[in-house]
Amino acid sequence: SPRNSIWNISNPSKITILELAEIIGKLLDKPVRPGDNHFNPLHALSKVEINPKRYLDIFGEYKFTTIDYGLKQVIKSAKKQLTIL
């Protein structure tokens, strides 16, 4: 049953990769240095969007946390588990 599956969901807000990097950089007190706009050898996307439609169809309305809060929680957990941060 889909209800008993593991789900990786994210806040459905639209955000660019650079905006996401800037939030993470701010939380870690690290500078973000965007690369040259014309240099993208791996053809990375500039924007990623998570569409939780299937999740919402199965489970109904869900109150998502903000991206800032969610990232703070992930970083907090990583700092407890990793020695590199």
Side-chain angles (χ1 to χ4, degrees):
S1 153
R3 285 186 165 270
N4 296 327
S5 299
I6 295 173
W7 289 82
N8 292 314
I9 61 171
S10 179
N11 185 307
S13 300
K14 294 180 182 179
I15 188 168
T16 67
I17 300 301
L18 180 57
E19 289 169 333
L20 184 61
E22 288 171 343
I23 293 170
I24 294 169
K26 185 175 179 180
L27 292 171
L28 293 174
D29 196 29
K30 299 291 181 184
V32 173
R33 295 182 294 248
D36 181 0
N37 285 339
H38 304 292
F39 184 72
N40 188 1
L42 301 177
H43 308 288
L45 300 172
S46 62
K47 187 184 295 186
V48 174
E49 180 181 347
I50 304 297
N51 185 343
K53 181 184 179 331
R54 183 169 172 242
Y55 181 89
L56 295 173
D57 286 347
I58 292 171
F59 294 98
E61 285 299 312
Y62 182 82
K63 182 179 179 191
F64 292 93
T65 61
T66 65
I67 289 179
D68 289 48
Y69 179 78
L71 287 171
K72 282 180 190 175
Q73 296 303 97
V74 169
I75 290 170
K76 182 179 173 182
S77 174
K79 282 183 174 181
K80 287 181 183 176
Q81 298 176 45
L82 303 173
T83 58
I84 60 171
L85 294 177

